């Protein structure tokens, strides 16, 4: 069974993480959670409540890290998913995560990103000239690093599939998994 990385940290968004986690299993892939260190992480849920102009945050489920960034051998993985929430704001500076991120872009493997997840490939200098969806408050992070902001539920740019928030899960996760399946099937034929 091919493995696919899901990048998280404390305050990763629960739905951004768990929806693709289970969809990967349904498609016959092994989701592997990677984070700064091997331990249990607290996820959160986000919503802009009616009448609010800023996101409210609640505690969500917890999830265990399967392999820390420092131990990831990127060659072993078919694809990667950058989960949203607040985690990317602080984990993007991890040198091993930067190494991992650059590998997937250079190897042209299927990549998914949602919400604040864009901050990781942006910091790793992998978004120049690439079209991506993200939550509007991360538009600056994308554009200052040379990316192109697109306000749509699913943006596909080559091997990169992105969505704005967990509200877009039903739009962008499927096309990303289709890329993974197509790559897996092509590898079996060769």
């Amino acid at each position: 069974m091919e493995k696919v990385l899901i990048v998280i940290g404390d305050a990763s968004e629960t739905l951004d993480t768990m929806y693709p986690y289970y969809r990967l299993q349904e498609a016959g892939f092994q989701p592997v959670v990677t984070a700064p260190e091997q331990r249990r992480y607290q996820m959160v849920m986000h919503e802009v409540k009616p009448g609010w102009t800023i996101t409210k945050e609640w505690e969500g489920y917890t999830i265990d890290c399967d392999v820390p960034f420092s131990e990831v051998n990127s060659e072993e993985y078919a694809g990667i998913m950058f989960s949203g929430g607040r985690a990317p704001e602080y984990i993007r500076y991890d040198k091993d995560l930067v190494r991992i991120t650059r590998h997937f872009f250079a190897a042209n493997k299927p990549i998914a990103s949602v919400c604040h997840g864009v901050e990781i490939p942006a910091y790793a200098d992998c978004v120049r000239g690439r079209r991506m969806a993200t939550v509007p408050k991360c538009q600056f992070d994308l554009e200052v690093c040379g990316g192109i902001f697109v306000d749509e539920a699913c943006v596909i740019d080559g091997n990169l599939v992105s969505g704005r928030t967990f509200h877009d899960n039903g739009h962008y996760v499927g096309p990303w998994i289709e890329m993974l399946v197509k790559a897996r099937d092509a590898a079996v034929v060769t």
Side-chain angles (χ1 to χ4, degrees):
M1 186 179 299
E2 289 192 330
K3 301 184 292 185
V4 177
L5 284 174
I6 298 180
V7 177
I8 63 112
D10 281 318
S12 283
E13 218 291 328
T14 302
L15 287 173
D16 288 354
T17 306
M18 299 312 295
Y19 184 82
Y21 184 94
Y22 291 118
R23 288 291 314 277
L24 285 166
Q25 289 179 339
E26 289 174 352
F29 292 94
Q30 179 185 347
V32 177
V33 175
T34 186
E37 58 189 49
Q38 196 156 7
R39 64 173 174 84
R40 179 162 290 166
Y41 285 82
Q42 179 65 56
M43 293 186 290
V44 297
M45 296 179 294
H46 291 121
E47 188 69 73
V48 178
K49 292 178 66 167
W52 284 46
T53 57
I54 192 166
T55 305
K56 174 142 176 67
E57 182 176 279
W58 298 267
E59 281 189 9
Y61 292 112
T62 59
I63 192 167
D64 291 326
C65 169
D66 297 310
V67 59
F69 298 152
S70 62
E71 296 178 21
V72 169
N73 176 356
S74 302
E75 296 290 336
E76 297 176 2
Y77 298 91
I80 193 167
M81 195 277 174
F82 299 106
S83 188
R86 287 184 299 111
E89 296 172 14
Y90 71 91
I91 63 175
R92 63 181 160 182
Y93 304 112
D94 185 287
K95 65 178 176 31
D96 288 307
L97 180 55
V98 170
R99 169 187 54 82
I100 294 164
T101 301
R102 289 178 177 163
H103 165 82
F104 284 91
F105 278 87
N108 205 36
K109 294 180 182 179
I111 299 166
S113 177
V114 65
C115 199
H116 284 72
V118 71
E119 294 173 324
I120 298 166
Y123 180 76
D125 195 24
C126 295
V127 300
R128 291 183 191 282
R130 303 297 295 264
R131 298 173 66 250
M132 291 184 75
T134 183
V135 66
K137 62 183 157 189
C138 289
Q139 178 178 351
F140 175 78
D141 298 87
L142 174 61
E143 291 178 343
V144 77
C145 293
I148 302 161
F149 173 73
V150 181
D151 188 12
E152 294 177 7
C154 176
V155 176
I156 301 173
D157 186 336
N159 65 319
L160 176 61
V161 182
S162 55
R164 297 168 295 196
T165 71
F166 66 84
H167 295 285
D168 296 337
N169 283 348
H171 300 281
Y172 81 92
V173 175
W176 172 61
I177 289 177
E178 287 174 20
M179 283 184 187
L180 288 163
V181 169
K182 192 178 285 186
R184 177 182 63 196
D185 291 351
V188 170
V189 171
T190 13

